[in-house]
Amino acid sequence: MILESFQIGEGQRPTVLLHGFLGTGRNLRSLAVAWSQADTSRRFLLPDLTGHGASPRLPPGATLSTLATDVVETARAAGLVGPLELVGHSLGGRVSLAASLRAPGDVASVALLDIAPSSIPTALSESGKVMEKLRDAPPSAPDRRAMRAELMGRGLSGHLSDWLLMNLESAPEGGVRWRFDRESLAEFHGRVNGEDLWAALTRPGAKVRCIRGGRAHYVSDADMARMESLGCPVATLPEAGHFVHVDAPDALLRWLMGS
């Protein structure tokens, strides 16, 4: 399945940036622009993951491997040649690990942005809590302001509500509606959070590294110790939360360019 995507940079080093759950490729655009300006050898591809943004909806029973296959197919269709360097935030990181397992010859390396290979307990999943509030919101609204009020009325912050509003589109009958299928995304989220991806760190030739937000909880100290014991270095941005590319963009870029 070919995904909606865009490219930044004209270099020959194929680098794919993968966003998190409920996001789109645009979430990582600022990172790609800054990185491209600092390293002109790279060519960046930023897709909307399957079921997200303007990409096709999730097929029934979709797994992380399903999304990974779509990412690799999209990269090849976009003209990216050679093993891909994958950089994934949250869900995007887990899709990157799945890609390295499903098509190891297509993946040169994986950089994880605040996510670990472990399954994610329901109580730890902030995106799961957001998903529940999103499912409770109406399917459409007269305008973006009205939908924003609906989200904030359910306890979501203004910043988070504005981020979710990037997933609205014009409705044929007027007003706005959600671009994605909330029910299929909720079902997918609940299923794939249980996937264990540690095999991606133990496979021969694995090249994986991770950076975590010091104020986030997705990469525990136990995860970090296990990852480092398997040859996956883990850095910490002490003042950053889960969205490391938003909270500490300069420090993140320095880390990424240290490869």
Side-chain angles (χ1 to χ4, degrees):
M1 185 182 297
I2 304 302
L3 307 173
E4 180 72 16
S5 66
F6 63 94
Q7 296 187 38
I8 289 175
E10 299 178 355
Q12 298 301 310
R13 194 170 172 181
T15 309
V16 183
L17 304 187
L18 300 178
H19 63 82
F21 187 64
L22 300 178
T24 70
R26 289 181 294 166
N27 298 152
L28 297 171
R29 186 181 187 281
S30 294
L31 173 60
V33 169
W35 197 353
S36 179
Q37 291 172 346
D39 182 358
T40 58
S41 72
R42 292 182 182 270
R43 180 179 175 188
F44 295 93
L45 180 74
L46 293 85
D48 293 350
L49 291 172
T50 317
H52 294 72
S55 284
R57 293 191 172 190
L58 289 163
T63 63
L64 293 174
S65 183
T66 305
L67 272 63
T69 298
D70 292 344
V71 166
V72 173
E73 288 184 3
T74 299
R76 297 311 180 206
L80 271 63
V81 178
L84 308 169
E85 297 186 40
L86 303 181
V87 179
H89 173 246
S90 199
L91 171 63
R94 290 172 62 76
V95 171
S96 298
L97 292 175
S100 74
L101 288 170
R102 183 173 182 83
D106 286 306
V107 178
S109 64
V110 173
L112 302 172
L113 308 187
D114 202 60
I115 201 67
S118 299
S119 59
I120 303 174
T122 301
L124 183 65
S125 177
E126 297 173 13
S127 55
K129 298 169 187 174
V130 172
M131 187 72 242
E132 287 306 308
K133 295 181 185 296
L134 184 60
R135 290 173 76 185
D136 191 44
S140 61
D143 53 35
R144 297 174 67 87
R145 179 179 297 180
M147 188 65 83
R148 187 177 194 268
E150 291 282 356
L151 295 175
M152 292 187 67
R154 287 163 173 78
L156 297 180
S157 68
H159 177 76
L160 183 53
S161 297
D162 289 339
W163 179 69
L164 290 171
L165 293 179
M166 294 173 68
N167 292 293
L168 289 176
E169 63 181 3
S170 298
E173 64 276 12
V176 294
R177 66 182 183 184
W178 296 108
R179 178 184 289 121
F180 47 40
D181 183 338
R182 293 175 292 170
E183 293 305 316
S184 66
L185 279 170
E187 188 272 336
F188 167 79
H189 184 264
R191 183 175 60 255
V192 302
N193 271 4
E195 292 192 39
D196 182 307
L197 297 162
W198 283 100
L201 272 64
T202 58
R203 71 174 181 84
K207 186 178 179 182
V208 184
R209 60 189 180 129
C210 174
I211 192 164
R212 65 176 185 167
R215 295 189 291 106
H217 308 286
Y218 280 92
V219 183
S220 68
D221 290 344
D223 285 328
M224 181 173 72
R226 184 177 177 185
M227 293 166 81
E228 292 188 327
S229 75
L230 294 173
C232 171
V234 180
T236 302
L237 297 173
E239 302 304 317
H242 183 50
F243 291 85
V244 290
H245 53 290
V246 175
D247 295 339
D250 295 338
L252 173 62
L253 182 58
R254 288 194 295 271
W255 178 80
L256 287 167
M257 292 187 65
S259 60

